[in-house]
Amino acid sequence: MNVRPTSLLPALFPTIVPPEPFLDEADLQRELGTLPAAPVVWQVRSLDSTNRCLLEWAPQGLPRYFCLAARQQTAGRGRQGRAWISDPEGSLTFSLWSVFDRSLQELSGLPLVVSLGVLEALHSLGITTVGVKWPNDLWREGRKVAGVLVETTRLSSGQVGAVIGIGLNVALPPAVQEAFSLSLNDLRDEAGQAPARGTVLGRLLNTLIPLLESFAQSGFSPFAETWMTHCVHRNRPVTLRHPDQTLSQGECIGLSPLGGLILRNPAGDSQTYHGGELSLRWEGT
Ligand code: BTN
């Protein structure tokens, strides 16, 4: 059994958030078995947000790569203050705890590494029509299939703790499909089949953890080229909406060493941007 002792968890954690497994343990362990040190995967029925919960417990000490997966989130957090909607039967919502000896600025590439890890895991499961959308969305055939929200906290050790939250649509129920058919996709194939959620979570962790180790060693720049090869907007004309709602337009040509987006404007000048929402130029502008 390759699960680390749960005594490493903050003492109150099991009382406040009792475990209630909802994923097939054999599926999960089949995937995790090949990692040198398998993470603790703590499964619960319902809580507000796996990200918020891990941030709250981080100061008490969490094992590295502790994973909290919730069947249901009642206040799931998305990027830019938005809510993250998920389905108890058809989604995967979880957060992974990690610790880095890097500055906050260097960690700006972490969400992109995570999105690349999700993409590689899905491709290895045979779901090859998935690409990445800057900064950290996963898209399938023009619609969003997964999102990543990384939240950081400075630890008393001086290191930075990162809560890596991932929300993935595995097999959305018909009502959700109908309501969001233009904007959301999931992992089902043409026959309506999707991999089991235990397999998906195990494969995601199996793929992500080695990438996180590599990012901790070498930072983002070794990932930039691979990320761009899977970028759904690569070499395409895009509009970037900044947090203050102003717009920048250009061709999406690459990533900076820290994961910033490089756009080339019609005059041929290149500029790097950090933050904002990206869309194709003819969408929503
Ligand atoms: C996005 O807006 O695209 C990011 C969505 C991230 C959602 C996940 S679900 C698990 C984790 N817990 C949260 O509250 N949010 C993240």
Side-chain angles (χ1 to χ4, degrees):
M1 187 72 169
N2 52 3
V3 170
R4 289 196 210 139
T6 49
S7 57
L8 289 170
L9 298 177
L12 285 175
F13 191 90
T15 350
I16 293 178
V17 193
E20 199 170 329
F22 61 96
L23 300 170
D24 187 292
E25 192 62 20
D27 287 344
L28 195 55
Q29 293 305 329
R30 192 180 326 109
E31 296 294 333
L32 295 181
T34 56
L35 281 169
V40 175
V41 179
W42 195 264
Q43 300 175 50
V44 301
R45 170 161 286 269
S46 177
L47 45 66
D48 55 350
S49 152
T50 54
N51 265 35
R52 194 209 59 75
C53 203
L54 287 196
L55 281 172
E56 183 185 327
W57 285 101
Q60 318 237 357
L62 286 168
R64 188 139 183 247
Y65 300 130
F66 176 71
C67 172
L68 176 62
R71 182 174 169 277
Q72 183 171 40
Q73 289 190 126
T74 53
R77 299 176 178 180
R79 285 181 63 235
Q80 305 197 326
R82 288 189 290 252
W84 181 257
I85 309 296
S86 54
D87 180 79
E89 303 302 330
S91 308
L92 253 186
T93 50
F94 69 97
S95 300
L96 182 65
W97 170 251
S98 194
V99 174
F100 296 92
D101 278 311
R102 292 194 164 266
S103 67
L104 281 175
Q105 197 199 19
E106 288 171 315
L107 284 190
S108 62
L110 175 59
L112 285 88
V113 172
V114 173
S115 62
L116 188 60
V118 175
L119 174 133
E120 289 183 357
L122 296 179
H123 281 200
S124 75
L125 287 167
I127 303 159
T128 53
T129 49
V130 174
V132 285
K133 174 179 178 263
W134 189 87
N136 47 20
D137 281 355
L138 280 297
W139 267 25
R140 189 178 192 202
E141 292 152 358
R143 290 173 290 150
K144 183 160 170 164
V145 75
V148 175
L149 177 68
V150 174
E151 299 184 86
T152 53
T153 178
R154 174 81 57 193
L155 303 175
S156 53
S157 62
Q159 295 169 300
V160 178
V163 174
I164 299 168
I166 299 178
L168 175 66
N169 307 326
V170 178
L172 295 174
V176 181
Q177 284 169 44
E178 269 166 40
F180 298 98
S181 64
L182 295 179
S183 57
L184 295 185
N185 207 343
D186 64 19
L187 302 186
R188 283 169 310 150
D189 61 18
E190 281 160 10
Q193 300 297 312
R197 288 186 295 173
T199 303
V200 178
L201 178 60
R203 186 69 61 95
L204 285 171
L205 295 174
N206 196 332
T207 311
L208 268 174
I209 290 172
L211 293 193
L212 296 177
E213 294 282 329
S214 166
F215 174 77
Q217 290 289 317
S218 317
F220 177 71
S221 47
F223 294 97
E225 202 179 317
T226 310
W227 198 96
M228 274 312 285
T229 63
H230 297 291
C231 171
V232 295
H233 289 139
R234 185 184 183 191
N235 297 334
R236 300 185 77 182
V238 293
T239 297
L240 181 66
R241 185 179 297 274
H242 301 283
D244 65 3
Q245 302 304 313
T246 57
L247 304 177
S248 296
Q249 297 193 326
E251 194 182 334
C252 177
I253 59 167
L255 296 173
S256 74
L258 289 175
L261 179 73
I262 306 175
L263 296 186
R264 185 168 52 211
N265 69 21
D269 303 319
S270 298
Q271 195 156 354
T272 302
Y273 299 96
H274 297 271
E277 287 291 311
L278 197 64
S279 57
L280 273 180
R281 190 173 299 165
W282 47 86
E283 283 176 355
T285 52

